[in-house]
Amino acid sequence: MNQPNRATTAERASRTVLSTADPQTAEKVKPDSPAGAPKRPGLILATILVGYFMALLDGSIVNVALPSIHEKLHASGAGLQMVAAGYIIAYAVLLVTGARLGRILGHERLFKAGLAGFTVASLACGVAQNTGQLITFRVVQGVAAAVMLPQVLSLIQQTFQGEARARAMSAWTAVLASGIVVGQVLGGVLVTANLFGWSWRPVFLVNVPIGVVLWVVAARTLPSVRPPSTGAGNKVDLAGVLTLSPTILALVVPLVLGHDEHWPVWGWVLLVGSVPLLALFLAVERRVAARGASPILPGRVLRRPGIKPSLILIFLVMVVYAGNLFATAIHLQGALGFSALRTGLAFAPCAASFGLVSFYWRKIPAHLVRRLALVGLLIGAVAMAAQIPMFKDGGYGGGWFYVDQLVLGFGIGLGNAPTMTLALLNVPVTDAADASGTLATTAQLAQVVGIATLGTLYLSVAPGKALHSAGHAMAALSVAAMAVTLVAAVFAHYLYRLDRRQRQAAATTATAATAA
């Protein structure tokens, strides 16, 4: 006897997430059609996921290279933050536009174009001669990533069917979850190896041979699907892009540069100005929707149950995650004298636990996931609190630091990993792509804000220069991160109660239907 109400989280989540690719594209490749059967599906999946992983790594791989960049290029604290954040700023601003362009021009075309641009920009970063050049090429990297990465989910949708698609999605989730932290580890390995005496440069140059090989394989294997020629979703929301971009820049740039520039007047003007710019963006989006066009931020998506609190929860968690990684990497090397390799490996426990939780959370029964997300964030807050005594006296806790990293990755992963997928459960298939893009953009923008705000807090509290900060700066950062994580836990609790009410309402409806 079938029991649909007892479907696992994996089954429910897979049905929803798999629909987030372009529905019009999905119609072009029928699940049971012989023409839809891909050649070398394993090679296709490996190609797009390695490209995806490579771009995710570059969001964090540079963190452990910052002291070397500071030494070789004489970069300021603000310059180091821009090297780290410039990539994610460009990515966050243009991610949704990249997804829309894929629908218009073809997902495989945009993947290859983004991969080519990313590879060339990586080469340019690797040979940069000063901080200004490095920041510029990092932004170009971010633009290329925004073109390439949104195509991965759609390529999985159009290439795989049934159980193969579910497995591909699980692999995609694991890559998404672990990419940031693995970047820290790999960065440490490359900087310590000091290949050819190039110091920090291999952190970027390693992308070049990988990118070339991936492009050749992608050109030979990726399925080509002609994009649809009609529909509101086949136009770029230029007005939205032109108003969202300055809004984000007005918020982030003062946060990144303010400390090093001693908080100038122009910084405060930009921060205040970001509020009316946000209002302007929302007004523009409403007008775009009223015309029957497809805005970057569809209002109907935000009105779906659970979407807004999920966005806030994801934003807060990623602020803590990215900001803590950025500051801790600088602190371990600058204040405690860790090598780049030792610093990178210090994050391995966090990467392992975060990745495993993100891969296996789908096996948790659906009715327990929301409750465990709350518990996970509380565990994450405790792990952040445990950092305070570890750092405040100038140490790092020895072996307990690594245990704490393991616990932190577990808690944050359990709180964050299911939220994006579960947020899509109540979104219609026609809106699923926009909802997924909105959630992904939120996560990327949160990384920028995390580096800017928590990074600025660390630099402001630390005596002297950023690379010679004291333990009490990390203790202050840990207090702030703990507080933000607790706020995220409040939203997790709200989502749990909302989910419980929806289940009760569904059960009541089912009972009434049975009685009738």
Side-chain angles (χ1 to χ4, degrees):
M1 180 177 179
N2 294 330
Q3 299 183 47
N5 290 333
R6 298 189 61 181
T8 65
T9 301
E11 293 166 345
R12 297 172 61 214
S14 295
R15 286 196 295 267
T16 302
V17 175
L18 295 178
S19 70
T20 61
D22 183 358
Q24 299 183 55
T25 300
E27 294 174 359
K28 300 291 182 178
V29 183
K30 301 297 182 182
D32 300 320
S33 170
K39 297 180 180 180
R40 300 180 180 178
L43 185 58
I44 293 174
L45 182 62
T47 300
I48 59 179
L49 288 186
V50 170
Y52 193 78
F53 192 65
M54 184 170 65
L56 288 179
L57 285 179
D58 263 56
S60 60
I61 195 172
V62 70
N63 285 358
V64 294
L66 293 178
S68 297
I69 294 173
H70 169 78
E71 178 185 353
K72 301 297 183 180
L73 298 184
H74 308 289
S76 65
L80 294 178
Q81 285 187 297
M82 285 301 296
V83 168
Y87 174 83
I88 307 175
I89 290 174
Y91 176 32
V93 170
L94 298 174
L95 181 66
V96 176
T97 302
R100 185 66 56 82
L101 288 174
R103 180 178 297 181
I104 297 170
L105 301 176
H107 299 298
E108 86 287 344
R109 291 179 184 175
L110 265 291
F111 180 87
K112 290 185 290 187
L115 177 59
F118 184 86
T119 303
V120 172
S122 296
L123 176 61
C125 287
V127 299
Q129 298 301 304
N130 55 57
T131 308
Q133 290 180 9
L134 183 56
I135 292 172
T136 300
F137 296 137
R138 282 286 283 171
V139 172
V140 175
Q141 262 193 323
V143 173
V147 172
M148 175 175 62
L149 267 62
Q151 318 313 325
V152 172
L153 193 58
S154 293
L155 287 169
I156 289 176
Q157 170 77 10
Q158 73 183 39
T159 303
F160 299 93
Q161 317 300 331
E163 182 61 28
R165 183 182 295 172
R167 290 194 299 268
M169 284 301 305
S170 294
W172 173 81
T173 302
V175 168
L176 176 64
S178 59
I180 299 174
V181 184
V182 172
Q184 303 266 137
V185 178
L186 183 58
V189 172
L190 291 174
V191 172
T192 301
N194 193 22
L195 299 174
F196 309 107
W198 290 346
S199 183
W200 54 270
R201 298 182 187 276
V203 165
F204 300 107
L205 295 177
V206 70
N207 294 330
V208 179
I210 297 174
V212 171
V213 172
L214 284 180
W215 194 94
V216 172
V217 175
R220 292 175 177 270
T221 61
L222 291 189
S224 178
V225 178
R226 188 173 66 181
S229 57
T230 59
N234 294 325
K235 295 181 181 179
V236 175
D237 178 14
L238 185 60
V241 173
L242 293 178
T243 51
L244 177 62
S245 300
T247 301
I248 294 175
L249 292 175
L251 171 66
V252 173
V253 171
L255 292 176
V256 172
L257 300 179
H259 174 267
D260 205 62
E261 297 294 328
H262 306 290
W263 299 105
V265 173
W266 63 262
W268 292 107
V269 171
L270 285 178
L271 281 175
V272 173
S274 66
V275 177
L277 282 174
L278 176 61
L280 175 63
F281 166 69
L282 295 176
V284 167
E285 292 295 270
R286 284 193 293 268
R287 289 178 62 87
V288 171
R291 294 199 308 266
S294 183
I296 287 179
L297 190 64
R300 64 182 180 275
V301 170
L302 295 180
R303 289 190 291 270
R304 303 302 303 182
I307 287 290
K308 289 180 181 177
S310 294
L311 284 173
I312 296 173
L313 189 155
I314 291 168
F315 184 87
L316 294 175
V317 169
M318 294 308 296
V319 163
V320 170
Y321 192 52
N324 183 63
L325 286 176
F326 173 79
T328 304
I330 294 180
H331 182 73
L332 291 178
Q333 287 184 267
L336 302 181
F338 279 33
S339 67
L341 176 60
R342 189 180 178 189
T343 300
L345 292 177
F347 298 106
C350 186
S353 58
F354 195 107
L356 287 173
V357 168
S358 298
F359 189 81
Y360 287 109
W361 73 266
R362 298 170 188 272
K363 296 182 180 297
I364 301 171
H367 67 283
L368 294 178
V369 169
R370 289 295 192 193
R371 184 178 299 174
L372 290 180
L374 170 60
V375 172
L377 289 175
L378 294 177
I379 291 173
V382 171
M384 293 304 308
Q387 289 188 171
I388 299 172
M390 291 180 184
F391 286 117
K392 71 174 183 178
D393 294 326
Y396 72 100
W400 287 110
F401 170 79
Y402 301 99
V403 174
D404 187 67
Q405 287 294 304
L406 187 71
V407 174
L408 178 63
F410 174 81
I412 295 295
L414 189 59
N416 182 67
T419 302
M420 183 178 294
T421 300
L422 294 178
L424 301 174
L425 288 175
N426 296 312
V427 176
V429 172
T430 53
D431 293 331
D434 287 328
S436 180
T438 300
L439 290 169
T441 301
T442 298
Q444 296 304 321
L445 180 59
Q447 293 181 50
V448 180
V449 174
I451 291 173
T453 55
L454 294 183
T456 297
L457 172 63
Y458 176 79
L459 295 174
S460 299
V461 175
K465 295 187 178 295
L467 301 182
H468 302 285
S469 55
H472 71 270
M474 275 302 300
L477 180 142
S478 299
V479 171
M482 177 187 66
V484 174
T485 306
L486 288 174
V487 174
V490 172
F491 284 94
H493 178 63
Y494 172 80
L495 286 169
Y496 164 67
R497 296 187 62 181
L498 177 64
D499 183 68
R500 187 172 63 178
R501 288 198 298 269
Q502 290 175 337
R503 288 178 179 279
Q504 291 173 344
T508 300
T509 302
T511 301
T514 302

